[in-house]
Amino acid sequence: MKSGFLEKYEFVNILIFQVLFLRSLWPVSRSKPGIATGSRAGTLSAFIFDGKALVEIMIDVKHKELKKWVKEMAALCKPDKVVLCDGSLAEKKRLEKEAFKTGELIQLNQKKMPGCVYHITAENDVARTEHLTFICTKSKKDAGSTNNWMAPEDAYKKAADIFRGSMKGRTMYVIPFSMGPVGSESSKIGVELTDSIYVVLNMRIMTRMGSKVLDVLGTSGEFTKCLHGKAELDVDKRLILHFPEDNTIWSVGSGYGGNVLLGKKCLSLRIGSYLARKEGWLAEHMLIMGIEDPQGRTTYIAGAFPSACGKTNLAMLVPPKALKNKGYKIWCVGDDIAWMRAKEDGALWAINPEAGFFGVAPGTNMKTNPNAMLSVQKDSIHTNVLLKEDKTVWWEGHDDPAPARGLNWRGRQWHPGMKDENGSAEYGAHPNSRFTAPITNCPVASNKLEDPKGVPISAFLFGGRRAQVAPLVYEAFNWQHGVFVGATMASELTAAQYGALGKVRRDPMAMLPFCGYNMTEYWKHWRSLGDTLMRPPRIFHVNWFNTDKSGKFIWPGFGDNLRVIEWIIRRCRYEVSAVETPIGYMPIPSDIDISGLDITPAKMKQLLNVDKNIWQLELKSQQEFFKQFGKDVPKFILDEHKALEKRINAMG
Ligand code: OXD
Ligand code: MN
């Protein structure tokens, strides 16, 4: 990364920077009073900015480039202290205590929710800000038409102007983290610098972090440089910048998870997808789940759904009675991101780079997602939900009735039926309020989470919230057709994005906000990766959101989605035939187990209907979508589109 954004005096600071090394067992008492705090167990270190210069740094880091970068960033942001995080429990406790004092966190009821804390973000900072998110490649074309682009030099300069001096009076935490099992060849290392304790504690759950990561990084290992600063939490001074060519992320002015937990969307998807193309693998916005069948065989599938389409619910679903009685079990590997590589056996193997769930709270309850409810009762962070008087939490759609009063996500005294200043309903919890919970809390966490090889993927699911077009399920004819199905996915806009709710948008592979390079190149990468697989996953499209004339969902969804997945895994095992239709292979209705459900044959017919007129409109809408890519739409996508058109037009 060029250092052009640093002013002269910042270089002077770096030059007079004193670097001392503290061994991990260096006793606290040997450090200068008031400068370093320390723990016998870890490598906690600090330095002080005395108003003019960085006086001292004690940081037990053997990696030269990392040390140099921390110094540069500290010189820019001018924190009072720099603290290297070791990931220990003692560190967690100490940081929580500090944050309780300042009000950044509130301790929740430790009897009912041990290890849990509560946080609210600024009111204007409750979702990802896609319009402030940029891919900063030298050439605009490399970012493509679906990304906001900024020239790297402009981006560094703009953000540096916001970062400059923004950590005065604050501490800069250095978080070494691994996305994926520490040391796995499929994993990547990042280091996040942040002035937020909330971020440190979230990263502690969402990633594997601390000293063990530095050990793997060694003296010269590659890492993603992630700089985050809250600055003024001002939406006009907020930027989420990705520099794939520098393996660098800068995020400033936000405290919302999706913008600031830089291992998640920023590294694992935007930078991840860029690296994946370069290195020949896939970084996808996908859940990973294992389905253990009555014979005890576990089939792994990965699914891409746009935000808030129920990915977390699906990833840890509870089998409906009929399937549970048959002997089906579900194992959750991940609910949001999959990194996948072809292995020697010709299959595609996936790891979940994350170690936690950052899930949407409202609507989560013991019916919709009991495993999530059980996951968030301990060692979790609850953000922007309602704080009850007994220091537990509540959100709209919780099992418990709304409490008579509480503190809501805006920090206001709240009661049911409350109206805001415009006369609209005032929520207890923000619709995009979140829980951060360790995957290991999940009762159905897979035992493959730490397996460096990951799990072999037999099927991909693509889906979205489409009320009309897509039937319950169909299977692509082949890999190329499947890539086309993923590329033309669409869904409604959800609360996880900053913008209008309800609007339909095309969201290829659910990667529209997350693909770190030109989308048309991404499609080509998908297409060519298929050639490297002797045993490619089969590709399916599912839609749990078909509605009837009165707008009601026809399919019950949630755990009952396993009935569709059962058909999918049976297809993967060559155990069930299918009907060839213009859009793909579809189930013979009787092959979907609907025992115990109130689904009449007429409803099933509706769920599996392919309507010629609606699909003709769909084809036009796809064509409209392609226009923004001009001549760059890959030929294979246009060929698939033409072939689909021909098949639809030939329908009776
Ligand atoms: C998420 C999202 O938070 O997709 O997972 O927005
Ligand atoms: Mn997501």
Side-chain angles (χ1 to χ4, degrees), residues 319-568:
K321 212 163 155 201
L323 276 83
K324 194 172 166 192
N325 289 347
K326 281 193 210 170
Y328 278 98
K329 287 187 194 132
I330 294 301
W331 300 110
C332 175
V333 182
D335 77 326
D336 198 38
I337 298 172
W339 281 0
M340 294 170 285
R341 284 171 191 270
K343 298 262 163 158
E344 317 69 49
D345 64 354
L348 192 66
W349 288 70
I351 61 158
N352 171 11
E354 302 191 285
F357 306 123
F358 183 64
V360 177
T364 307
N365 58 50
M366 288 306 281
K367 274 196 221 81
T368 57
N369 194 340
N371 286 321
M373 289 302 279
L374 296 170
S375 303
V376 304
Q377 301 306 319
K378 62 170 189 186
D379 302 323
S380 299
I381 302 174
H382 292 266
T383 304
N384 291 342
V385 293
L386 183 97
L387 180 65
K388 287 165 55 174
E389 284 187 330
D390 69 350
K391 295 272 170 61
T392 62
V393 291
W394 181 88
W395 47 80
E396 279 75 10
H398 196 282
D399 299 284
D400 296 342
R405 63 192 77 80
L407 200 68
N408 83 346
W409 70 276
R410 302 173 81 184
R412 296 178 169 191
Q413 278 304 327
W414 180 90
H415 58 82
M418 183 169 161
K419 298 267 185 278
D420 68 11
E421 45 287 351
N422 304 315
S424 309
E426 169 102 12
Y427 291 114
H430 186 273
N432 192 35
S433 53
R434 299 277 175 151
F435 52 77
T436 318
I439 296 193
T440 46
N441 275 5
C442 182
V444 297
S446 163
N447 62 7
K448 300 280 186 193
L449 289 174
E450 292 304 322
D451 190 327
K453 192 172 178 194
V455 296
I457 298 297
S458 297
F460 282 136
L461 269 50
F462 289 128
R465 268 175 194 268
R466 300 221 60 196
Q468 299 298 321
V469 189
L472 184 60
V473 59
Y474 63 96
E475 181 185 343
F477 294 121
N478 51 47
W479 180 266
Q480 175 171 297
H481 179 226
V483 176
F484 168 78
V485 169
T488 50
M489 262 171 66
S491 193
E492 291 168 14
L493 217 60
T494 66
Q497 296 107 30
Y498 191 89
L501 282 171
K503 207 176 145 222
V504 168
R505 74 169 178 178
R506 296 228 164 245
D507 192 350
M509 282 82 169
M511 283 288 279
L512 188 69
F514 306 122
C515 183
Y517 62 101
N518 192 311
M519 183 61 80
T520 58
E521 293 299 318
Y522 169 72
W523 293 335
K524 286 188 210 159
H525 175 53
W526 257 87
R527 168 72 189 77
S528 57
L529 193 112
D531 294 338
T532 68
L533 296 167
M534 246 142 52
R535 297 159 54 203
R538 290 185 181 221
I539 301 180
F540 298 81
H541 188 281
V542 296
N543 180 22
W544 322 127
F545 301 96
N546 273 296
T547 53
D548 61 17
K549 284 201 184 91
S550 63
K552 271 210 200 110
F553 294 125
I554 307 172
W555 182 248
F558 301 105
D560 288 306
N561 294 335
L562 185 58
R563 298 168 187 272
V564 176
I565 293 172
E566 182 190 33
W567 181 76
I568 288 172

Side-chain angles (χ1 to χ4, degrees), residues 265 285 307 311 336:
K265 303 301 189 183
H285 190 201
S307 311
K311 259 189 20 252
D336 198 38

Side-chain angles (χ1 to χ4, degrees), residues 207-228:
T207 72
R208 286 97 169 157
M209 70 92 116
S211 315
K212 56 188 183 235
V213 178
L214 285 186
D215 293 344
V216 173
L217 192 60
T219 52
S220 58
E222 241 180 85
F223 68 99
T224 305
K225 298 179 175 113
C226 308
L227 174 66
H228 164 250

